Amino acid sequence: MTKPMVFITRRIPEEGLAIIAQSCEVDLWPGELPPPREVILQRSKGVEGILSLLTDKIDAEVMDAAGSRLKVISNYAVGIDNIALAEATKRGIPVGNTPGVLTETTADFAFCMLMSAARRIAEGDRYVRSGRWKTWGPKLLLGQDIYEATLGIIGFGRIGRAVARRAQGFNMRVLYYDPMSAIDDEEAGIGAISTDLDTLLREADFISIHTPLTEATYHMIDNQAFSNMKSTAVLINTARGGVVDPDALYHALSEGRIASAALDVTDPEPISPDNPLLELDNLIITPHIGSASVATRNKMARMAAENLIAGLKGEKLPNCVNPEVYI
Ligand code: DGY
């Protein structure tokens, strides 16, 4: 029996590749960088499955290139903003993602960014390495306290809640804004209080973004949002760069309208090395590594592989973001 042909857009951990190789003919893009658009279009031709990364735009054109044999799209990420979901659903193509396995790892990272920005870790490191450390100073690199501060979480899904649980250990007051999930305090078990966005922006000392990127959340943190924040506020974004307007962020940071920011995601991504944001000392920036632990990336690979294989067999994907294709 001939094996189904699949296109995998980058080398994911072996744990996932091994599962796929058992039952598929694999076309694996070997590059360190994402395949260029024309390569995606070319190599998707006639495949039954696509395993994509968040860097690859999988839209109607790619689905057309694949043609009627395409049975499944499996994204190696929990976020699926790179995929034209409505288009896949219209065509009856199930789309898989990797929820759950990266929740705690990403929440750890968000908290780590929060603490680093609050206590100016990256600046301190640069200060020492550049030979500026001459003595202990009463006012040297003063930051903000985390314990008992107010944390505002935008997007109270799995990762947002996991961040809220971490905040308990610091006796923080936690506010959250999430029009999609109004769970009560009891259910959250973490004393988090649901509020509107303006109140959250006004009252939070730390604002951590955990919402997916959609039309509604694109640039939701804009000039107006920054002007509602405290001048001592710290913004953390480990979700998607597009949620924050980068020009508004630049003005807020360079004009001291907020204290600092820590970004693991940017708009666009990657950020250009000559972007003026990179000149600011009150910005910490990392290259989208929130879920980047060995164990988590292995689990994501396995999950993405299992989604792919299920779709090829015509079975329900273990993690499907458009289950309506089965109705
Ligand atoms: C995701 O999965 O969406 C993250 O951004 C990368 O792990």
Side-chain angles (χ1 to χ4, degrees):
M1 212 175 82
T2 54
K3 293 178 172 178
M5 184 64 156
V6 298
F7 176 43
I8 305 180
T9 61
R10 211 95 64 82
R11 181 167 284 283
I12 61 169
E14 212 47 51
E15 213 159 306
L17 289 179
I19 296 174
I20 300 168
Q22 278 171 16
S23 55
C24 301
E25 219 40 76
V26 176
D27 179 14
L28 173 67
W29 172 251
E32 278 289 309
L33 296 178
R37 177 76 180 165
E38 56 288 3
V39 171
I40 296 185
L41 290 171
Q42 172 61 34
R43 290 170 83 155
S44 295
K45 272 191 192 144
V47 298
E48 292 185 43
I50 298 175
L51 193 150
S52 50
L53 269 58
L54 56 84
T55 44
D56 312 311
K57 192 168 165 196
I58 307 296
D59 56 8
E61 201 185 357
V62 175
M63 298 177 210
D64 281 342
S68 58
R69 292 169 69 84
L70 185 62
K71 288 192 181 138
V72 58
I73 299 165
S74 173
N75 212 33
Y76 180 69
V78 66
I80 40 113
D81 46 281
N82 58 310
I83 294 176
L85 189 61
E87 192 59 44
T89 306
K90 198 171 85 190
R91 298 165 187 241
I93 302 168
V95 176
N97 71 339
T98 64
V101 290
L102 50 75
T103 299
E104 302 300 334
T105 305
T106 308
D108 279 354
F109 192 80
F111 221 84
C112 171
M113 292 291 258
L114 183 157
M115 296 183 77
S116 304
R119 299 304 304 273
R120 305 174 66 177
I121 304 285
E123 271 179 274
D125 182 80
R126 286 194 293 273
Y127 186 82
V128 174
R129 287 172 197 270
S130 62
R132 282 176 285 162
W133 187 21
K134 304 292 182 219
T135 182
W136 185 91
K139 291 199 171 173
L140 181 62
L141 288 168
L142 302 186
Q144 273 118 294
D145 282 323
I146 298 159
Y147 74 93
E148 293 179 355
T150 297
L151 169 63
I153 297 180
I154 299 178
F156 210 53
R158 293 184 200 85
I159 300 172
R161 288 176 212 186
V163 170
R165 284 199 305 278
R166 282 156 178 76
Q168 278 188 302
F170 290 80
N171 211 15
M172 295 178 97
R173 171 178 174 243
V174 180
L175 305 177
Y176 73 87
Y177 167 70
D178 190 338
M180 304 300 285
S181 106
I183 59 167
D184 59 35
D185 300 358
E186 216 49 58
E187 194 187 338
I190 41 186
I193 301 161
S194 168
T195 187
D196 59 87
L197 184 58
D198 282 354
T199 307
L200 183 149
L201 297 175
R202 261 197 328 272
E203 296 190 7
D205 300 302
F206 298 93
I207 297 164
S208 192
I209 300 175
H210 300 286
T211 184
L213 178 62
T214 63
E215 268 174 34
T217 63
Y218 178 74
H219 286 190
M220 85 189 280
I221 304 299
D222 55 8
N223 277 317
Q224 178 60 46
F226 283 114
S227 65
N228 284 344
M229 294 179 196
K230 294 181 179 182
S231 59
T232 50
V234 175
L235 178 73
I236 301 106
N237 189 5
T238 54
R240 284 292 182 267
V243 179
V244 178
D245 174 346
D247 295 332
L249 176 66
Y250 178 80
H251 288 296
L253 288 173
S254 60
E255 292 160 18
R257 280 156 55 195
I258 64 168
S260 59
L263 306 180
D264 185 43
V265 288
T266 57
D267 174 26
E269 201 166 286
I271 193 168
S272 153
D274 56 15
N275 189 304
L277 275 168
L278 299 185
E279 286 159 22
L280 301 176
D281 237 357
N282 54 350
L283 174 70
I284 295 177
I285 191 151
T286 51
H288 202 149
I289 52 173
S291 67
S293 77
V294 175
T296 291
R297 288 289 166 84
N298 283 341
K299 288 182 201 159
M300 287 168 65
R302 171 172 282 276
M303 213 170 198
E306 287 168 356
N307 281 332
L308 186 79
I309 301 296
L312 293 171
K313 289 185 182 158
E315 293 169 4
K316 200 163 177 181
L317 311 195
N319 289 284
C320 183
V321 287
N322 56 348
E324 56 277 29
V325 294
Y326 297 114
I327 297 167

